[in-house]
Amino acid sequence: PKPLTPDEEAEHAQWIEEMNAAAQEAPAEDSDLYEDRTDPLVDYCRDLSIRIRKQIKEKAWLPEDPQQEHPLMELQHGIMFASAKLAGALNGHREDWPPEALFAGDCLVRLKKARGYLADALASLDAAEAEKLVEAGWIPPLRQELQAIQQSVQDKIDEVRAVLRQEESEG
């Protein structure tokens, strides 16, 4: 690539400063808009993912350079991936839940994937318990939280399926 002239460099630097300033102002202006569009289940699952990652790190329960198949790695990934799928399925539909039939199929696919990731996380938790990788008292409350999220996801799946059944019977 051709080097920038001093004028082009100055213009580029000014553009970067303007973008940084706009980025810092944007969250303050749009934070209410974002909060209104984020589903509480997504927030809960995301926060759980962050909390679990921190606890595992603080307790040093993972060996250095763990394999991806390590139960605690799979636990973290399962919750994190479920959170992402829930965000795709639920965010933006908070005011109009359940979604209309046009969007219901996409939501259903993402919700089912989230449910699968939560099942993987629960299986990983069982493996961590069997292999005694964590403190025994840490497991039951986490299992209860994961099962509660999984039940909420199942409830949302049932609601979306009802929309699709209604559309099918009307069509």
Side-chain angles (χ1 to χ4, degrees):
K2 182 176 130 185
L4 298 176
T5 66
D7 288 341
E8 290 172 329
E9 283 183 23
E11 186 177 306
H12 185 70
Q14 182 180 357
W15 178 80
I16 289 174
E17 286 180 33
E18 289 172 5
M19 290 297 108
N20 286 337
Q24 287 181 351
E25 291 173 13
E29 293 172 3
D30 295 336
S31 64
D32 291 339
L33 176 65
Y34 177 74
E35 289 299 319
D36 289 344
R37 299 189 70 197
T38 303
D39 190 273
L41 184 59
V42 173
D43 292 338
Y44 186 82
C45 193
R46 182 200 61 232
D47 293 347
L48 177 62
S49 175
I50 293 167
R51 190 177 83 226
I52 296 306
R53 185 174 292 266
K54 282 182 182 178
Q55 289 174 346
I56 290 171
K57 186 176 182 176
E58 287 171 2
K59 301 282 188 174
W61 285 333
L62 274 173
E64 196 169 317
D65 297 325
Q67 294 183 344
Q68 291 299 316
E69 296 80 19
H70 191 285
L72 295 178
M73 292 293 290
E74 289 196 352
L75 172 67
Q76 292 177 68
H77 291 152
I79 300 169
M80 183 175 50
F81 295 156
S83 177
K85 290 301 177 186
L86 289 173
L90 304 176
N91 285 351
H93 294 289
R94 187 168 178 193
E95 298 299 320
D96 62 344
W97 189 261
E100 59 186 80
L102 178 64
F103 303 109
D106 180 58
C107 285
L108 182 61
V109 168
R110 292 170 192 255
L111 288 167
K112 289 171 73 175
K113 287 186 183 237
R115 182 181 60 187
Y117 285 126
L118 291 167
D120 292 345
L122 282 163
S124 299
L125 190 61
D126 291 342
E129 182 177 37
E131 295 177 33
K132 298 181 182 355
L133 299 175
V134 298
E135 297 167 6
W138 185 75
I139 293 172
L142 178 55
R143 180 177 287 120
Q144 189 173 18
E145 282 185 273
L146 287 171
Q147 289 171 336
I149 294 169
Q150 196 173 38
Q151 183 59 54
S152 295
V153 170
Q154 185 59 53
D155 293 345
K156 297 229 181 253
I157 288 171
D158 294 342
E159 292 169 355
V160 171
R161 284 182 173 156
V163 167
L164 292 171
R165 279 193 300 272
Q166 181 180 357
E167 179 70 17
E168 187 177 284
S169 69
E170 291 174 1

